[in-house]
Amino acid sequence: MPMNVRFSDFIRAEIEPILQAWEEFAETILPAERMDRSGLRDHAREMLLAIADDLESHQSEEERAAKSKGHGPEGKGPKGKGPSWAEVHGGDRHSSGFSVMETVSEFRALRSSVVSLWSKTHLIVSERQLGDLTRFHEAIDQAVAESLEHYATVKEMETRLFGAILVASPDPIFVLDLEGRFIYANKATADLFGLELEAILGKTAFDLGFSFASDIKPNLVTVIAEQSSFRGKFIHRFNSGIGERFEYLLAPVLDEHHHTEATVCILQDVTERTLAEEKVWHNAHHDLLTGLPNRRLFLDRLDQEIKQAKRGKAPIAVLFMDLDGFKDINDSLGHDAGDRILSEVAERLTDCVREADTVARMGGDEFTVMLTGAQQRKDVEFVARAIINALERPFRIAEQTVGLSASIGVSFYPQDACSPPALLEAADQAMYKAKDSGSDRMCFYDTLYE
């Protein structure tokens, strides 16, 4: 290469070797690993060509003095309009997740790549080339200053916008340090907690007496250690009285070295939605008149008990009962009176069994009972007789005394059947056998064919 070559021409002629050296450095920058490689290289090429153009432009003594201090002229972009390439670079690097040091390192690597290759090919330099080299360093210094200035401007604006979003957010948002202490809380958080901000900051959920603190703590530990987000739920009534059911999102806050330095938490009051969903589920699985489980829920619970019984080999008894003569009472006293009788029947049946057992209404005047862990036949007989006796007591309806009786059929798992529908069917068949034998009777399925 001629000894009197201009520095700008050198950059253009040797741009590929310079970029190759630059690319090797770019691989060591963490955010660059996530960026498009060709886009990163093209960006470095544009920086070099912009510097080459700058070296060829005329500069006054004042402009050179300003550049040597890292200051550019007014209107830094092409023809004095818009942001300069260095400003664009600073904004781009901020949005790409580069730290300040990583952003500066790009320019340092670019300077090193150019000067190193120049030194290898130009052992002797002319006074003009030496001046070009000085201008190159000044151009790099100015670019660093412009890039960092815009980087800081974008970051400051982002911080202001983020702060405005936090303040205006209707959802409680707060930040916890690595010990679980509140280091930031927005207004919605203070309103929800029913506390002044000063009473929240520096405290933990344990300090504030929140019942969900012990449940959230292990999730916080996981988020910090694994740098992963976590979604959860809790039930708590705060001093404000706002809400009761909440969903929360925990997410790690990473520093520039990708170490977890805090955890941000966003709460959402889902009380109305959750209660509405629970009401829909309850109505779909319970009898609206008596509040007892309906056929669907009874079969589901029976299925769950059978699965557990298979592991523990525990017996299950299913009682199927029908109220004797209920249709005549319903016709003579009316449906309102009949509904009141059914509701009281449900209460009496529930009083005859343990809390762990299930009483359900199949529809009409048919009810079922599931007894778990009934080790002996006589235990089931005792419960069935208690039910018959309870229903024999007179019902007082519309100032009238009404008498009822019940026919009960009983089936056992696993002796009589092994599936919920089959157990129910076996108990139903036994119930009809009991009804055919007269009122206030019980019949076991295994005696039908004796």
Side-chain angles (χ1 to χ4, degrees):
M1 181 174 290
M3 290 184 57
N4 62 348
V5 66
R6 293 189 305 177
F7 202 82
S8 57
D9 293 335
F10 164 78
I11 291 176
R12 293 190 179 94
E14 301 297 326
I15 196 166
E16 287 304 321
I18 294 172
L19 288 174
Q20 184 175 354
W22 145 254
E23 194 170 32
E24 292 175 0
F25 166 79
E27 293 177 352
T28 66
I29 304 177
L30 287 176
E33 294 179 352
R34 300 189 293 270
M35 297 181 67
D36 176 64
R37 188 53 53 87
S38 61
L40 196 64
R41 186 183 178 94
D42 290 344
H43 192 72
R45 181 191 301 275
E46 291 174 5
M47 287 195 289
L48 287 171
L49 294 177
I51 290 175
D53 291 341
D54 182 73
L55 293 176
E56 294 175 347
S57 64
H58 173 73
Q59 290 182 357
S60 66
E61 289 299 323
E62 292 180 355
E63 289 174 335
R64 290 196 60 184
K67 258 193 181 179
S68 67
K69 299 176 183 179
H71 304 301
E74 295 296 327
K76 301 168 188 173
K79 298 181 181 180
K81 297 180 180 179
S84 68
W85 65 268
E87 290 176 317
V88 173
H89 173 272
D92 177 76
R93 288 308 181 248
H94 176 269
S95 62
S96 298
F98 280 59
S99 69
V100 171
M101 290 303 299
E102 290 164 343
T103 303
V104 173
S105 293
E106 279 193 280
F107 289 101
R108 187 173 67 245
L110 201 63
R111 186 199 305 265
S112 175
S113 300
V114 173
V115 174
S116 176
L117 188 59
W118 170 267
S119 300
K120 291 177 182 179
T121 56
H122 293 77
L123 300 178
I124 302 175
V125 296
S126 66
E127 184 177 348
R128 181 175 61 80
Q129 291 172 331
L130 191 59
D132 285 347
L133 184 59
T134 300
R135 284 189 62 180
F136 170 74
H137 285 297
E138 291 172 349
I140 290 289
D141 291 340
Q142 180 192 351
V144 170
E146 291 179 9
S147 179
L148 291 184
E149 180 182 359
H150 199 66
Y151 181 104
T153 300
V154 172
K155 188 173 184 64
E156 182 181 349
M157 182 178 69
E158 183 183 77
T159 301
R160 290 198 307 271
L161 292 174
F162 183 64
I165 291 172
L166 289 178
V167 171
S169 173
D171 291 328
I173 302 174
F174 51 85
V175 180
L176 306 173
D177 66 13
L178 298 183
E179 302 301 320
R181 292 184 290 263
F182 290 86
I183 56 177
Y184 170 83
N186 67 350
K187 183 178 182 300
T189 299
D191 291 343
L192 173 65
F193 291 179
L195 297 169
E196 294 296 329
L197 194 59
E198 294 73 16
I200 298 173
L201 299 183
K203 305 289 180 56
T204 68
F206 289 100
D207 297 333
L208 297 175
F210 295 157
S211 60
F212 56 85
S214 58
D215 293 329
I216 285 185
K217 185 173 177 57
N219 301 328
L220 275 171
V221 173
T222 300
V223 168
I224 292 170
E226 299 181 1
Q227 296 186 346
S228 59
S229 60
F230 178 87
R231 291 183 181 275
K233 300 178 181 180
F234 66 81
I235 299 176
H236 183 80
R237 181 166 287 278
F238 293 97
N239 292 341
S240 65
I242 300 173
E244 185 179 72
R245 314 290 182 91
F246 295 88
E247 291 181 352
Y248 65 90
L249 169 66
L250 296 174
V253 179
L254 308 182
D255 62 20
E256 61 182 20
H257 301 296
H258 295 272
H259 297 147
T260 306
E261 61 179 357
T263 303
V264 64
C265 181
I266 303 175
L267 293 183
Q268 187 175 18
D269 181 0
V270 294
T271 305
E272 289 187 10
R273 187 191 76 195
T274 303
L275 292 179
E277 290 174 350
E278 289 178 355
K279 184 177 181 180
V280 170
W281 187 92
H282 185 275
N283 290 342
H285 293 81
H286 290 78
D287 175 51
L288 297 181
L289 174 64
T290 64
L292 294 177
N294 60 15
R295 176 183 291 269
R296 177 192 293 183
L297 183 56
F298 181 82
L299 289 173
D300 181 67
R301 289 187 181 179
L302 183 55
D303 182 59
Q304 296 302 317
E305 289 296 333
I306 288 175
K307 290 177 181 178
Q308 292 188 24
K310 286 180 179 178
R311 293 191 291 269
K313 296 183 179 180
I316 300 171
V318 173
L319 283 64
F320 197 112
M321 67 197 70
D322 180 85
L323 303 181
D324 301 321
F326 177 77
K327 184 178 183 303
D328 294 336
I329 296 174
N330 209 27
D331 292 341
S332 61
L333 298 179
H335 291 288
D336 288 343
D339 287 346
R340 290 176 59 187
I341 290 176
L342 291 174
S343 296
E344 189 168 340
V345 166
E347 293 176 6
R348 294 188 188 186
L349 292 177
T350 302
D351 291 339
C352 291
V353 300
R354 302 166 303 174
E355 188 174 345
D357 300 322
T358 297
V359 178
R361 183 187 178 201
M362 295 290 102
D365 59 349
E366 294 180 337
F367 293 82
T368 54
V369 175
M370 176 176 61
L371 303 177
T372 57
Q375 297 295 334
Q376 299 184 35
R377 190 186 189 95
K378 66 179 183 179
D379 296 329
V380 178
E381 290 180 354
F382 178 82
V383 174
R385 178 51 59 188
I387 290 174
I388 290 174
N389 292 338
L391 297 182
E392 281 181 340
R393 297 199 311 269
F395 291 83
R396 187 72 179 174
I397 302 296
E399 299 183 357
Q400 296 187 49
T401 300
V402 178
L404 272 181
S405 62
S407 298
I408 301 176
V410 183
S411 63
F412 288 95
Y413 169 87
Q415 298 94 313
D416 299 328
C418 293
S419 70
L423 275 170
L424 204 59
E425 176 62 25
D428 187 26
Q429 291 181 32
M431 182 273 293
Y432 276 106
K433 177 65 174 179
K435 188 176 285 288
D436 290 341
S437 301
S439 60
D440 286 352
R441 300 293 181 89
M442 73 178 76
C443 177
F444 290 85
Y445 179 78
D446 59 10
T447 66
L448 290 182
Y449 305 104
E450 292 182 352

